[in-house]
Amino acid sequence: MKVLVTGFDPFGGEPVNPAFEAVKLLPRTTAGADVDILEIPTVFHKSIEAVVKRAEEMCADRILMVGQAGGRFEITVERVGINVDDARIPDNEGNRPVDVPIDPDGPAAYFATLPVKAMTERIRSRGIPAKVSNTAGTFVCNHVLYGVLNAAAKKGLPVKAGFIHVPYLPEQAAGKDSVPSMSAVTIAAALEAAVEAMATTGEDVKVSGGREH
Amino acid sequence: MKVLVTGFDPFGGEPVNPAFEAVKLLPRTTAGADVDILEIPTVFHKSIEAVVKRAEEMCADRILMVGQAGGRFEITVERVGINVDDARIPDNEGNRPVDVPIDPDGPAAYFATLPVKAMTERIRSRGIPAKVSNTAGTFVCNHVLYGVLNAAAKKGLPVKAGFIHVPYLPEQAAGKDSVPSMSAVTIAAALEAAVEAMATTGEDVKVSGGREH
Amino acid sequence: MKVLVTGFDPFGGEPVNPAFEAVKLLPRTTAGADVDILEIPTVFHKSIEAVVKRAEEMCADRILMVGQAGGRFEITVERVGINVDDARIPDNEGNRPVDVPIDPDGPAAYFATLPVKAMTERIRSRGIPAKVSNTAGTFVCNHVLYGVLNAAAKKGLPVKAGFIHVPYLPEQAAGKDSVPSMSAVTIAAALEAAVEAMATTGEDVKVSGGREH
Amino acid sequence: MKVLVTGFDPFGGEPVNPAFEAVKLLPRTTAGADVDILEIPTVFHKSIEAVVKRAEEMCADRILMVGQAGGRFEITVERVGINVDDARIPDNEGNRPVDVPIDPDGPAAYFATLPVKAMTERIRSRGIPAKVSNTAGTFVCNHVLYGVLNAAAKKGLPVKAGFIHVPYLPEQAAGKDSVPSMSAVTIAAALEAAVEAMATTGEDVKVSGGREH
C-alpha cells in the first residue's frame, strides 16, 4: 500500500505550519505501507493540482492531507468537504474568493473516503486528544479536501482520501493569548497512528463521533 | 410572502429550548411577510415531516428552522446540511443513529437556500453577535435542515429554507460552568432581523463569512 | 440602609461600559435600602477618591463597585483585591503603572467585606449565570476594590465594600469573534439581586465557591 | 545555590499529575544551581509541612512549587497566594474546607518572592506559551503557596518561593472534550527555563504581565 501525506506551507503570517512540521517527522514505512510526503502551497486550485499530480505519479492508494487549525484543541479528522470557497484572508498568492464554488459542476459535498472514526479512535488510543470534525472551514483546507475527492471521483481513481486538522505548535501559541497548542512530536505521533488506521482498516468502525451542532 | 419559523422542543435533559422560547416572541407580521410559527419534535424524521406538512399546508415561501446550540457564543446562520445522522445522545424518542444517511438516495449535502450572509449582516447591524456556521452538527438540527431542503428539491417546491442555531438562555447557563448565553428577548430580536432579511433580500450579498477551519 | 453602587466609564476603546449601563437601570430602593449610583473614571487613584468622597458624603453602609470583564461568561463577585497595579493598557488619563503598589504602606490584600457567597447564590437563584472570582485583575477594577477597602480600614469607616465584574454587552460582542455577552437588562437584574443580598445578609453563607486554580 | 522543586501527587480522579511528571524530568543542575525535587501530597497543611521540612533540611535558597491547572492553556506563574481555603472537591485525605483561613493569624496574602516576570519571559523565549496569573485558586495549590511564604516570613528564612501552574497532559485531555494540554517534555523545558531565571535574576524585570480582570 502506498500512502501520500501532504502538509501546507505557512500562511496567514505564521512563520511555520504545524502540519508540514509534523509530516516531516513521519517514518517512511508504517504498518507495512510506504509513506511519501509532500509540502503543498496554501493556494486555491494549485494545492489540488499538486496533490493529484503526485498521487497519480506514485499510484497512491491513500491520501492524507494535513492542515493547520489555529484555535482547535484536538487533532480533528474531517468528515466532509463542501463545494465553496469563502476566504476571510487571502491565500499565499493573494486570492480571496467569496462564495465561489470550487467546481461549478461538482456536487455540494463529498464525504472523506478514509475511515475517519477508526483514525480518530486510534489516535486517542495513543493518549492524544482527537475528535471528528464536521467542517474543514471554507479556506484552502476544505478546498483541497473537496477538490481531491472530486478529482478522484471524476477520474475514477481507486484512491481513498481524507483530511486532518492540527492545532498550533507551542511556539506559535507563545505569541498569542490563551490558545491551545500541541508539540510537533505529539502531532506526528497522531498522524502515524492515523496512517496505521488508514492502512489496516477496511470498512470504518461504527462508533459515535457526532455533535448536536 | 408567507414565512414559517420552527423551533425544537427541549432535549438532552434541558427544561426549555431557547429556540422555541424565542420563536414564540416573534411578531406575526414582519417586513410585510406573514409569519407562522411551529414547535417541532427533537426526533429524527418526525421533525422533517412536521416542517414539510405545515409548509405545504400554508404554502410557505420561506422556512426558517431554529435550534439550540449549547456552547456557541453567537447566533449562527447555517450554510449547509449534510447527509448523515451521527447522534452522540438519543433524540426525544430514544433513537440514536450512528453514521446513517438521512436519505440513502440523496446527495451528500444541500446548501441553505436562504440568504445566509444578508441574514447574518442584518442581525449584527442590530448589535447582536452573529456569524455564519459551516456545520449544523450531525444530530436533529442538521437532519431537519438537510431533510427539508431534500424534500423541497425532490418535490420541486419553490420554497427557500435555512437554519439558525442559538445559544443557551441565561437560566440554562446558570447551572453550568462558564458557558455563553443570550436572553430570549435578544434571540427573538435576532430572529426578527433574520426574517426581515429573508423577506427583502433577492440574491445574497457577497461578503466574506468564511473561516480557515 | 444606604447603598452606593458605582460603575466605570468606558475604557480600552469601547464606546460603552456595561457596568454603568446596567447600574443606570437599578431601582433607587431595593429590599428597604436606598440605592445611590455613581459613574467613576477608569483612572488610577481618581477612581478611589471618587468612591470614597461620595461614600462619605452619603454615609454609605455598603459599597458595590461594578466593572467590565470582557471575555468572562458570568457575573463574577470578587473575593479579594491585591496591592498592585500592573496595567496592560493605559487608563483613561494615559497612566500605565507596572508592578507598583497601590499603597506602599498597605497590606498585600484585602478580602471584600460584602457577603460574596450570598450575593452569588442570590444572582443564580434568579436564573442568571454567576460565580465567585478570586482575581479582579491588576488594572483599575482591582485598584478601586483594594483602594476603597484600604481607605475604609485606615479611616475606620463602618462601611462594607465589594466588587462585581460583568460581561460585555451583546453590542460589544457583535464586533468581536466568539466572546460571551449579557444584556444590560440581565446584568441589572443580577446587580439588583446582589444589592438585595447585601442589604439582608448578616454573616455570609458557607457554601463552596472555590476553584482548584 | 540550592533549588527545591516540588510537584503534587494526582488528585481529583486523575491517574497522573502533570506537575510531578514534568518535575521528574528536570536536570539536577541548572545554571549552576543544584536542583532537588520532591513529590508532595495534595492534602491541606501536610503539603506545607512537607515543603518546609525538605527546604529546611537542604537549606534551600529557592523553592518552586508546581501544580496542575486543568483547563489552563499556558504555563502560568503565580503572583500571589491568599489566606483562604475554599475547596470545591475534597483533597486526597477527604478534607474539604470552605472559607477557612489557612492561618487565622496570617495576613490576607503574600506576593511570591520569586521573579515572576523574568520567569515568564524566559519560558516564552523558549517558544512555550506562558503568562503571569493573579490567582492560584483556593485549593491546595494556593494553600501551599501561601503557607510556604507564611512559614518563611514567620521563621525569618532567607528563602524565596513561588508557584507555577501547568496544563493537563495530552493523555489527560484525550478523555475530555476540547481542553488544552501540553506534553510533559514541553512542561519540563518550561520549568527548566523558570529555574534558570530564578537562579540568575536579582530584582525582577519591570514588564507588564497584568490583566484588566
Side-chain angles (χ1 to χ4, degrees):
Chain A
M1 179 173 291
K2 290 177 179 171
V3 178
L4 172 61
V5 183
T6 70
F8 284 105
D9 60 3
F11 68 94
E14 295 291 333
V16 295
N17 190 316
F20 195 65
E21 295 304 306
V23 166
K24 282 190 294 190
L25 303 177
L26 284 176
R28 292 301 173 269
T29 312
T30 294
D34 293 332
V35 175
D36 198 5
I37 71 169
L38 179 67
E39 186 174 23
I40 62 175
T42 304
V43 177
F44 289 104
H45 296 291
K46 287 190 180 170
S47 51
I48 300 173
E49 290 157 20
V51 178
V52 172
K53 180 165 177 287
R54 175 68 69 92
E56 288 186 321
E57 283 168 4
M58 67 181 275
C59 299
D61 300 294
R62 301 284 184 274
I63 306 171
L64 176 61
M65 294 160 278
V66 186
Q68 165 188 300
R72 286 201 186 164
F73 296 78
E74 292 109 338
I75 301 287
T76 43
V77 185
E78 298 294 346
R79 189 196 293 265
V80 65
I82 61 174
N83 190 13
V84 69
D85 291 333
D86 185 3
R88 192 182 62 87
I89 56 174
D91 73 11
N92 283 349
E93 292 191 353
N95 305 296
R96 205 185 148 205
V98 172
D99 292 347
V100 175
I102 300 168
D103 177 354
D105 302 321
Y110 286 99
F111 287 102
T113 45
L114 295 178
V116 298
K117 298 291 178 73
M119 293 159 69
T120 305
E121 295 286 304
R122 189 73 63 106
I123 298 168
R124 294 183 65 188
S125 75
R126 301 284 158 82
I128 302 171
K131 65 180 178 185
V132 175
S133 163
N134 299 303
T135 174
T138 59
F139 193 55
V140 187
C141 292
N142 171 75
H143 177 92
V144 79
L145 172 57
Y146 179 93
V148 168
L149 289 164
N150 188 46
K154 292 204 163 172
K155 296 180 176 205
L157 303 178
V159 69
K160 295 188 177 186
F163 196 98
I164 283 181
H165 263 124
V166 304
Y168 281 133
L169 298 176
E171 67 199 78
Q172 295 178 282
K176 302 178 174 68
D177 186 36
S178 292
V179 295
S181 63
M182 195 177 278
S183 73
V185 169
T186 304
I187 296 173
L191 297 180
E192 189 178 352
V195 170
E196 274 183 36
M198 286 161 56
T200 59
T201 305
E203 198 174 349
D204 199 3
V205 293
K206 282 260 183 184
V207 294
S208 172
R211 295 175 57 87
E212 286 80 76
H213 57 81
Chain B
M1 181 173 289
K2 289 178 179 172
V3 177
L4 173 62
V5 184
T6 71
F8 284 105
D9 60 4
F11 69 93
E14 295 291 334
V16 294
N17 190 317
F20 196 64
E21 294 304 306
V23 166
K24 281 190 295 190
L25 302 178
L26 285 176
R28 292 302 174 268
T29 311
T30 294
D34 292 331
V35 176
D36 198 4
I37 71 170
L38 178 69
E39 186 174 23
I40 63 174
T42 304
V43 177
F44 288 105
H45 296 293
K46 286 190 180 171
S47 50
I48 299 172
E49 290 158 20
V51 177
V52 172
K53 181 167 176 287
R54 174 67 69 93
E56 290 187 319
E57 284 169 3
M58 65 180 277
C59 299
D61 300 293
R62 301 284 184 275
I63 305 173
L64 175 61
M65 294 161 279
V66 186
Q68 166 188 299
R72 287 201 186 161
F73 295 79
E74 292 109 339
I75 301 287
T76 43
V77 185
E78 298 293 346
R79 188 195 293 262
V80 66
I82 62 174
N83 190 12
V84 69
D85 291 332
D86 186 1
R88 193 182 61 88
I89 57 174
D91 73 9
N92 283 350
E93 291 191 354
N95 306 296
R96 204 185 147 206
V98 172
D99 290 348
V100 176
I102 299 167
D103 178 354
D105 302 320
Y110 286 99
F111 287 102
T113 44
L114 294 178
V116 300
K117 299 290 178 71
M119 291 159 69
T120 304
E121 294 286 303
R122 189 73 62 104
I123 297 168
R124 294 182 66 188
S125 76
R126 301 286 157 83
I128 302 171
K131 66 180 178 185
V132 174
S133 163
N134 299 303
T135 173
T138 59
F139 193 55
V140 187
C141 291
N142 171 75
H143 177 92
V144 78
L145 171 58
Y146 179 91
V148 167
L149 290 163
N150 189 45
K154 292 205 163 173
K155 296 181 177 207
L157 303 178
V159 69
K160 297 190 175 185
F163 196 98
I164 283 181
H165 263 122
V166 302
Y168 281 134
L169 298 176
E171 66 198 78
Q172 294 178 284
K176 302 178 172 69
D177 188 36
S178 292
V179 294
S181 62
M182 194 176 279
S183 74
V185 168
T186 304
I187 297 173
L191 297 180
E192 190 178 351
V195 171
E196 273 182 37
M198 286 160 56
T200 58
T201 306
E203 201 174 347
D204 199 3
V205 293
K206 283 262 183 184
V207 292
S208 172
R211 294 175 58 86
E212 286 81 77
H213 59 81
Chain C
M1 178 172 289
K2 289 177 180 173
V3 178
L4 172 61
V5 183
T6 71
F8 284 105
D9 60 4
F11 69 93
E14 294 291 333
V16 294
N17 190 316
F20 196 65
E21 294 304 305
V23 166
K24 282 191 295 190
L25 302 178
L26 284 177
R28 291 301 174 268
T29 312
T30 294
D34 292 332
V35 176
D36 198 5
I37 71 169
L38 179 68
E39 186 173 23
I40 62 175
T42 303
V43 177
F44 289 105
H45 296 291
K46 286 191 180 170
S47 50
I48 299 173
E49 290 157 21
V51 177
V52 172
K53 179 166 178 286
R54 175 66 70 93
E56 289 187 320
E57 285 169 1
M58 65 179 277
C59 300
D61 300 293
R62 303 282 184 275
I63 305 172
L64 175 61
M65 293 161 279
V66 186
Q68 165 187 300
R72 287 203 185 160
F73 295 79
E74 291 109 338
I75 300 288
T76 43
V77 185
E78 298 294 346
R79 189 195 293 265
V80 66
I82 61 174
N83 189 12
V84 69
D85 290 332
D86 185 2
R88 193 182 61 87
I89 57 174
D91 73 9
N92 282 350
E93 292 191 352
N95 306 297
R96 205 187 146 204
V98 172
D99 291 349
V100 176
I102 300 168
D103 178 354
D105 302 320
Y110 285 99
F111 287 103
T113 44
L114 294 178
V116 299
K117 299 291 179 72
M119 291 159 70
T120 305
E121 294 287 304
R122 189 74 63 104
I123 298 168
R124 294 181 65 189
S125 76
R126 301 286 157 83
I128 302 171
K131 65 180 179 187
V132 174
S133 164
N134 299 303
T135 174
T138 59
F139 193 54
V140 187
C141 291
N142 171 75
H143 177 92
V144 79
L145 171 58
Y146 179 92
V148 167
L149 290 163
N150 189 45
K154 293 205 161 173
K155 298 181 177 206
L157 303 178
V159 70
K160 296 189 175 184
F163 196 97
I164 283 182
H165 263 124
V166 303
Y168 281 133
L169 298 176
E171 66 198 79
Q172 293 177 284
K176 303 178 172 69
D177 187 36
S178 292
V179 295
S181 63
M182 193 177 280
S183 73
V185 169
T186 303
I187 296 173
L191 296 180
E192 189 178 351
V195 171
E196 273 183 36
M198 288 161 56
T200 58
T201 306
E203 200 174 349
D204 200 2
V205 293
K206 281 261 183 183
V207 293
S208 171
R211 293 175 58 87
E212 287 79 77
H213 57 82
Chain D
M1 180 171 292
K2 289 177 180 173
V3 178
L4 173 61
V5 183
T6 71
F8 284 106
D9 61 4
F11 70 93
E14 295 290 334
V16 295
N17 189 317
F20 196 65
E21 294 304 306
V23 166
K24 282 190 295 191
L25 303 178
L26 285 176
R28 291 300 174 269
T29 311
T30 293
D34 292 332
V35 176
D36 198 5
I37 71 168
L38 178 68
E39 186 174 23
I40 62 174
T42 304
V43 177
F44 287 105
H45 297 291
K46 287 191 179 169
S47 50
I48 299 173
E49 290 158 20
V51 178
V52 172
K53 180 167 178 285
R54 175 67 70 92
E56 288 186 320
E57 284 169 1
M58 66 181 276
C59 299
D61 300 294
R62 302 284 185 273
I63 306 172
L64 175 61
M65 295 160 278
V66 186
Q68 164 188 301
R72 286 201 186 161
F73 294 80
E74 292 109 338
I75 302 287
T76 43
V77 185
E78 297 294 347
R79 189 196 292 263
V80 66
I82 61 173
N83 189 11
V84 69
D85 291 333
D86 185 2
R88 193 183 61 86
I89 58 173
D91 73 10
N92 283 350
E93 291 190 354
N95 305 297
R96 205 188 147 204
V98 172
D99 291 347
V100 176
I102 299 168
D103 178 354
D105 301 321
Y110 286 99
F111 287 102
T113 44
L114 295 178
V116 299
K117 298 291 178 73
M119 292 159 68
T120 305
E121 294 287 303
R122 189 74 63 106
I123 298 168
R124 294 182 65 187
S125 75
R126 300 285 157 81
I128 302 171
K131 65 179 179 185
V132 175
S133 163
N134 299 303
T135 174
T138 58
F139 193 55
V140 187
C141 291
N142 171 75
H143 176 92
V144 79
L145 172 57
Y146 179 93
V148 168
L149 289 164
N150 189 44
K154 293 203 163 174
K155 296 181 177 207
L157 303 177
V159 70
K160 295 188 177 186
F163 195 99
I164 283 182
H165 263 122
V166 303
Y168 282 133
L169 298 176
E171 66 199 78
Q172 295 177 284
K176 301 177 175 68
D177 187 36
S178 292
V179 295
S181 62
M182 194 177 279
S183 74
V185 169
T186 304
I187 297 173
L191 297 180
E192 190 178 351
V195 171
E196 274 183 36
M198 286 160 55
T200 58
T201 306
E203 199 173 351
D204 200 2
V205 294
K206 283 261 183 184
V207 293
S208 171
R211 293 174 57 86
E212 287 80 77
H213 58 80

